[in-house]
């Protein structure tokens, strides 16, 4: 299909939904942000601290590798950082919905709720690189 390639980013007007995984004659499969195979370089909008957003397979994501020293608040916006070379910088991904700091863990456990219901999406636009 028509100039679409693996790892191109799929977006709606509300923001990114995932990236192209496979191309078929009649379309393409997309790995959603919430998919367990999804990982996206992101940052926290307010502190500019970077991390990796990984899908949890349950409609939410985990923001990984954020130091416990960083103050992260529920409701904080998460945007793409562009550091993975796949997703462009500055796309709004979702909100922090839960923050936990556990004993003996180096990083915080941060849950992120996508800005849109990824399972309800019918049309996406593919960003050409």
């Amino acid at each position: 299909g028509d100039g679409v390639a693996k790892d191109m980013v799929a977006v709606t007007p509300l923001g990114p939904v995932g990236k192209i995984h496979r191309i078929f004659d009649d379309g393409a499969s997309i790995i959603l942000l919430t998919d367990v195979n999804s990982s996206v370089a992101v940052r926290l909008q307010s502190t500019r601290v970077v991390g990796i957003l990984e899908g949890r397979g349950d409609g939410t994501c985990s923001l990984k590798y954020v130091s416990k020293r960083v103050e992260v608040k529920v409701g904080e916006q998460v945007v793409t950082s562009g550091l993975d070379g796949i997703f462009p910088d500055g796309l709004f991904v979702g909100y922090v919905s839960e923050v936990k700091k556990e004993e003996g863990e180096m990083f915080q456990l941060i849950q992120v709720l996508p800005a849109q219901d990824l399972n309800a999406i019918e049309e996406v636009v593919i960003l050409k690189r």
Side-chain angles (χ1 to χ4, degrees), residues 100-117:
K100 283 195 197 124
K101 298 186 184 183
E102 293 198 347
E103 280 301 313
E105 293 286 332
M106 208 161 95
F107 303 111
Q108 309 185 44
L109 301 174
I110 302 169
Q111 185 170 322
V112 175
L113 210 50
Q116 52 190 329
D117 179 356

Side-chain angles (χ1 to χ4, degrees), residues 1-5 8-10 86 88 125-129:
D2 200 30
V4 173
M8 280 185 174
V9 173
I86 293 175
V125 174
I126 306 301
L127 299 184
K128 299 280 165 79
R129 277 218 257 287

Side-chain angles (χ1 to χ4, degrees), residues 1-81:
D2 200 30
V4 173
K6 184 175 159 59
D7 285 348
M8 280 185 174
V9 173
V11 299
T12 72
L14 292 174
V17 301
K19 66 183 178 189
I20 300 290
H21 173 50
R22 281 209 189 93
I23 313 297
F24 308 109
D25 290 341
D26 56 353
S29 69
I30 294 172
I31 295 182
L32 298 176
L33 300 174
T34 48
D35 188 295
V36 289
N37 296 309
S38 171
S39 77
V40 181
V42 295
R43 60 183 157 80
L44 292 159
Q45 180 83 40
S46 58
T47 55
R48 316 277 301 175
V49 168
V50 297
I52 300 291
L53 192 75
E54 293 183 353
R56 291 163 48 115
D58 64 356
T60 66
C61 302
S62 293
L63 175 50
K64 301 274 186 74
Y65 313 118
V66 174
S67 159
K68 280 185 169 169
R69 294 193 297 274
V70 178
E71 188 61 42
V72 181
K73 294 184 176 68
V74 169
E76 202 161 330
Q77 297 195 4
V78 177
V79 298
T80 53
S81 68

